[in-house]
Amino acid sequence: MSTKIVEANSMTPKVEGRTKMKKHVWRKKIVPYIFIAPSVIFFSIFMLYPIGYSFVMSFQTSVGGEMTFNGLENYRRLFNDAIFLKALKNTFIILAVQVPIMLFLALILAVLLHSSLLKWKAMFRVSFFLPAVTSLVAYSIIFSIMLMNDGLMNQLLEWIGIGSIPWLSHPFWAKVSLILAMTWRWVGYNMVIYLAALQNISEDLYEAASIDGASKVRQFFSITIPQLKPVILFTAILSTIGTLQLFDEPYTLTKGGPSDETLTIGMYLYQTGFRYFDFGYASTIAYVIVVLIAILSFIQFKVSGDER
Amino acid sequence: MKKMSLYVTLTIGALISLFPFYWAFIGATNESGKLFFKAAFICSRDKIG
């Protein structure tokens, strides 16, 4: 009997040690989950659940204020919807024209501002980046005032003898106005991204190229562009996503007019959801935008040959 | 010459970039009617009448 008690007593510290160890390991495993739990819970409630629910809603329609399942009817309706197709066309025109111009200007400005010849770099950088920190609505209002029929731009054009242009009331010029406004706002933002990437390119590469007799232009195309390729791809994808979701600028500048010529898919989504309260159809449009963004991003990855 | 053209290009770009801020300030400190008058003033003194 006494032998057993002695054995039990001699085992206790080992067992206790193991239990403590297990508790410690368990705590170590569980603590990170406890820390990330609040953000995961809020992310699930406010992001995952709406995303999932809007997917369900994209197969529903509102009948008498109640959502009823209608299968693929919303998707069928979408591809026969003339207004949606027009909005899609407008969005792609803006995407095809504005994004390349903006990225090209941003790249040129970044290269110029990276020049060792330049003084007052900070002042120039701030000047170009300032539009990016302006409120979207505020800058759209400024542009709408400047581009009015009696606005500053037209007075300036008349003064130099070109004559006034119906910036916001002509289908073509309304698109030009949007492109101008968006380019003004986003060039500085992309320029800063390129500038950061340029500062990471080793000077040794340029030095070696200079010794080999490469001109500045050759250095730009053979060193700068290849080194910036991942960043250019990144900005191209970000800009594509931004343009496909375009809403603020056309809403404030042109309200989608004249005759839906500047209506974008983002605006049409808003109108369908919050003007006509057709949330099922609006969810369908949202999912089509998601699919378009995924396809365009995939194409950009493939074209650039970046598999990372 | 190279340096000069660099400064000229960047200064023009910076002015274009900053002009809407100047115009926002003008808009914020003037009534709408006066704003168009200011635009006329910038473009041509003859129009002020």
Side-chain angles (χ1 to χ4, degrees):
Chain A
M1 183 69 184
S2 61
T3 324
K4 275 184 182 176
I5 291 166
V6 171
E7 272 178 9
N9 284 341
S10 65
M11 287 293 283
T12 311
K14 276 188 183 176
V15 173
E16 270 182 10
R18 273 185 205 159
T19 319
K20 272 186 181 174
M21 193 63 183
K22 272 185 184 174
K23 269 187 181 174
H24 179 71
V25 170
W26 187 78
R27 266 187 201 160
K28 224 178 171 180
K29 279 185 179 172
I30 205 78
V31 163
Y33 292 102
I34 293 170
F35 276 116
I36 62 163
S39 68
V40 170
I41 291 167
F42 280 107
F43 180 76
S44 306
I45 295 171
F46 295 109
M47 295 292 283
L48 288 182
Y49 174 71
I51 288 169
Y53 190 62
S54 68
F55 184 67
V56 174
M57 279 173 78
S58 72
F59 298 102
Q60 293 178 330
T61 188
S62 177
V63 179
E66 271 190 29
M67 299 302 286
T68 52
F69 185 75
N70 72 339
L72 292 170
E73 180 56 31
N74 284 343
Y75 289 90
R76 197 190 61 75
R77 178 184 157 195
L78 190 70
F79 292 107
N80 293 309
D81 183 347
I83 302 174
F84 172 76
L85 295 176
K86 195 169 192 177
L88 193 66
K89 186 184 142 198
N90 294 337
T91 310
F92 273 95
I93 289 172
I94 293 168
L95 178 73
V97 178
Q98 192 266 337
V99 172
I101 291 174
M102 175 186 70
L103 295 184
F104 175 75
L105 283 175
L107 185 62
I108 296 297
L109 279 177
V111 171
L112 292 179
L113 287 174
H114 188 62
S115 168
S116 53
L117 296 171
L118 192 70
K119 281 179 182 172
W120 310 310
K121 281 182 184 175
M123 187 197 76
F124 283 116
R125 284 174 191 175
V126 169
S127 305
F128 289 113
F129 187 69
L130 214 53
V133 294
T134 320
S135 144
L136 277 164
V137 176
Y139 99 84
S140 300
I141 291 170
I142 296 166
F143 268 81
S144 67
I145 292 170
M146 282 170 54
L147 298 172
M148 274 176 180
N149 283 339
D150 296 332
L152 179 72
M153 281 292 271
N154 273 343
Q155 299 209 25
L156 201 66
L157 289 174
E158 275 180 18
W159 182 56
I160 57 175
I162 294 175
S164 64
I165 289 172
W167 290 104
L168 302 172
S169 53
H170 186 278
F172 173 76
W173 291 110
K175 282 194 192 85
V176 172
S177 306
L178 271 183
I179 289 167
L180 276 177
M182 287 166 65
T183 305
W184 175 79
R185 186 169 199 274
W186 294 109
V187 160
Y189 177 81
N190 290 292
M191 179 205 76
V192 166
I193 297 174
Y194 289 145
L195 207 50
L198 277 172
Q199 284 163 357
N200 280 329
I201 299 175
S202 171
E203 281 299 320
D204 298 348
L205 294 172
Y206 292 104
E207 210 177 308
S210 298
I211 292 166
D212 288 344
S215 67
K216 288 283 176 194
V217 177
R218 181 69 196 271
Q219 285 177 28
F220 177 76
F221 285 107
S222 301
I223 299 171
T224 310
I225 295 287
Q227 291 288 316
L228 288 182
K229 200 173 151 191
V231 183
I232 293 172
L233 178 68
F234 170 73
T235 51
I237 290 173
L238 274 192
S239 309
T240 305
I241 294 171
T243 310
L244 286 175
Q245 294 175 339
L246 188 62
F247 172 77
D248 307 64
E249 288 90 347
Y251 186 77
T252 332
L253 269 177
T254 58
K255 295 263 183 276
S259 48
D260 292 337
E261 285 296 333
T262 53
L263 185 76
T264 58
I265 34 181
M267 259 190 91
Y268 189 50
L269 163 65
Y270 171 80
Q271 283 180 359
T272 311
F274 298 101
R275 191 179 289 174
Y276 308 119
F277 298 104
D278 193 349
F279 292 114
Y281 193 48
S283 302
T284 311
I285 298 170
Y287 270 90
V288 168
I289 295 175
V290 170
V291 171
L292 283 173
I293 289 171
I295 292 170
L296 287 176
S297 302
F298 178 75
I299 291 170
Q300 280 169 340
F301 270 112
K302 283 286 165 194
V303 168
S304 71
D306 198 330
E307 298 295 330
R308 282 172 289 170
Chain B
M1 189 62 194
K2 216 174 185 181
K3 206 171 175 180
M4 186 74 177
S5 58
L6 176 68
Y7 277 103
V8 169
T9 313
L10 286 174
T11 307
I12 292 170
L15 286 176
I16 292 171
S17 185
L18 292 175
F19 186 78
F21 291 102
Y22 164 72
W23 203 242
F25 178 74
I26 295 290
T29 50
N30 284 280
E31 288 170 15
S32 300
K34 281 186 182 172
L35 192 63
F36 297 113
F37 181 79
K38 287 258 180 191
F41 183 77
I42 286 178
C43 299
S44 166
R45 284 172 184 272
D46 302 337
K47 287 184 183 177
I48 300 167

